[in-house]
Amino acid sequence: MTSTSAPAQITLFFSRSARIIAAANGEKYAWAQTALEASGFQRRQDGTYALALGDPQAAQAALISLLRTADRHRTIVKITGPSYIGDVAEGIAGHLPGEWSATVDVYSHPVWQEDLVPWLWDAGELSQAIRTARIPYAAVLTDGAGINLLLIERPGHHHDYVVGAFAPDGFDDNYDEPHAPSSIVVPGAAQPSAHAIIDRFLPAYHQAVHTRRTAAVASALSRIREEGQTWEVIKESGRYSDGSPLAAEGLPGAEEAFAGLSWSEFRDVLLHAPAALERCRPADSAWPQDAAALDRLQGALGRGQEILSDWNARLGGLRTTSRTPPRESDADVKAARDARMQPVIETWLADGDAFLRQAGAAAPASPSAEPVRGHTVAALPPALPAPPGPVPARR
């Protein structure tokens, strides 16, 4: 990551709110903060500092004081050319459909921006800039319904901005994730920037989210099926995959391990399948006969979410009491939980092909004009093979 040689900097912006906004940054950013506070700037909740311009003479005196105080604290003061990023973000938010809001983040120390890397979901210029250039501040645009975008000044360009996405809830391992949409460059002017986001970025984002959710469901079902088939082979042969014998006393523990894996994997289905399933329109597809299977999947989802809710409520109850249940009781409760979930999982294993077909047909169309650079939507996994016999009894 490139950085300036100055240990502390103050960047000044003239905001349309009739204020001078200041951001302190650098490895010794505290020196810059001290200079700002000593010169009459007021710290704001988002980490920036503000100086009102209501009294021009007082504002001029505060700026002169800032230059002198900053010099004593080995701090460089610069006035930025672009508009204040908070104003830019608010202007864009005002032209986006729905209830969008904008907030400013300040990354005073150079290492702070590295905290963004695991959360960004981007295959373009934004993630590269966060990793390689100094980004002392940014703006977050949110629609209040799960979409969160990051807006930064484009490194090396005086009037351009880059906007990209944070990963939606429920996803980890976002760095270099193959389904990620690419960030786009916008001019900063509110209307053109908002139109670029509406016409180009958001369609690519929604397509990427749908594809990633579908892939997550397919991966979970595939893993459960593979482990189930492996477990059936182990039980029939009496030996583990490495050839070691399956002792009778080890059978309950092995069954419990398989049940735990199935429970863990199927939580991804419960989390990501509802949104993907909601887009499916079998009557408009080449497979209208899938409608009955999708109805079964929808019903199974409802039952599975109820089971998960009951389990989470039980865990929450245990956290609020000092009473620790006996180990046997806990095992019995898990066994009952898994027995309830078993038919739900079996339904999804049996009708998973229909879901994959319909989810693939329901994927949102990519933007027709000026395709998002670098974004490739991976093909859906092959159709799942026929499910094995009944899932073994689990504890």
Side-chain angles (χ1 to χ4, degrees):
M1 181 189 302
T2 58
S3 63
T4 180
S5 57
Q9 293 184 70
I10 294 172
T11 305
L12 299 178
F13 310 85
F14 290 95
S15 172
R16 65 187 180 199
S17 62
R19 295 177 180 175
I20 296 177
I21 307 298
N25 61 85
E27 293 184 355
K28 301 295 184 181
Y29 67 89
W31 297 353
Q33 291 177 333
T34 299
L36 285 166
E37 292 166 0
S39 303
F41 281 74
Q42 300 296 313
R43 183 179 175 88
R44 305 200 301 177
Q45 188 173 2
D46 61 12
T48 62
Y49 289 77
L51 178 68
L53 294 176
D55 185 339
Q57 289 185 334
Q60 183 179 18
L63 290 175
I64 293 173
S65 171
L66 177 63
L67 293 174
R68 294 172 178 169
T69 307
D71 185 61
R72 291 199 302 270
H73 288 84
R74 299 171 59 191
T75 298
I76 292 177
V77 179
K78 65 175 184 177
I79 299 176
T80 186
S83 303
Y84 172 51
I85 196 167
D87 292 347
V88 173
E90 287 179 1
I92 293 173
H95 286 83
L96 294 175
E99 299 295 326
W100 287 78
S101 60
T103 56
V104 173
D105 282 347
V106 179
Y107 316 117
S108 294
H109 196 285
V111 300
W112 291 2
Q113 71 190 68
E114 297 174 7
D115 293 340
L116 294 170
V117 174
W119 304 105
L120 285 178
W121 188 42
D122 178 59
E125 191 172 331
L126 177 64
S127 59
Q128 180 182 6
I130 293 295
R131 296 194 309 271
T132 61
R134 179 69 180 106
I135 309 296
Y137 41 78
V140 176
L141 296 163
T142 180
D143 71 341
I147 301 179
N148 295 285
L149 309 180
L150 188 72
L151 178 78
I152 65 169
E153 294 174 359
R154 190 182 189 191
H157 297 75
H158 293 297
H159 302 289
D160 289 342
Y161 295 80
V162 181
V163 63
F166 289 100
D169 289 341
F171 287 114
D172 299 317
D173 300 324
N174 303 303
Y175 176 72
D176 207 22
E177 201 278 326
H179 303 100
S182 283
S183 47
I184 63 172
V185 176
V186 296
Q191 248 183 332
S193 296
H195 287 165
I197 292 172
I198 295 168
D199 296 338
R200 292 167 48 207
F201 185 77
L202 288 178
Y205 171 85
H206 288 301
Q207 183 188 59
V209 171
H210 179 82
T211 304
R212 191 177 183 186
R213 289 195 187 282
T214 303
V217 173
S219 176
L221 294 176
S222 178
R223 181 83 189 280
I224 294 171
R225 173 167 287 114
E226 289 173 2
E227 291 296 323
Q229 292 170 337
T230 300
W231 176 234
E232 289 298 320
V233 171
I234 290 173
K235 288 196 300 181
E236 290 175 5
S237 66
R239 292 185 176 275
Y240 290 105
S241 301
D242 61 1
S244 58
L246 173 63
E249 59 271 18
L251 186 60
E255 288 183 338
E256 185 175 351
F258 172 67
L261 182 143
S262 297
W263 170 265
S264 178
E265 291 289 339
F266 197 72
R267 290 178 69 140
D268 274 351
V269 178
L270 296 176
L271 178 61
H272 298 300
L277 192 58
E278 189 175 332
R279 287 186 174 274
C280 296
R281 299 290 185 271
D284 299 330
S285 74
W287 310 277
Q289 67 274 16
D290 286 342
L294 264 58
D295 286 342
R296 291 192 294 270
L297 293 174
Q298 186 69 61
L301 272 183
R303 295 190 297 274
Q305 289 168 336
E306 180 182 349
I307 295 166
L308 178 60
S309 178
D310 290 347
W311 179 251
N312 288 337
R314 180 179 186 276
L315 293 180
L318 291 177
R319 295 189 190 102
T320 60
T321 179
S322 59
R323 184 179 63 85
T324 302
R327 183 176 182 83
E328 294 78 13
S329 174
D330 189 56
D332 290 343
V333 172
K334 283 186 177 180
R337 174 201 71 183
D338 294 335
R340 290 179 66 196
M341 191 65 84
Q342 177 180 337
V344 174
I345 295 176
E346 289 176 344
T347 298
W348 271 84
L349 290 174
D351 291 324
D353 288 353
F355 169 78
L356 291 182
R357 282 194 297 268
Q358 293 297 327
S366 59
S368 56
E370 199 172 345
V372 179
R373 177 173 53 83
H375 176 68
T376 302
V377 179
L380 287 174
L384 298 175
V391 177
R394 288 168 280 175
R395 294 174 58 86

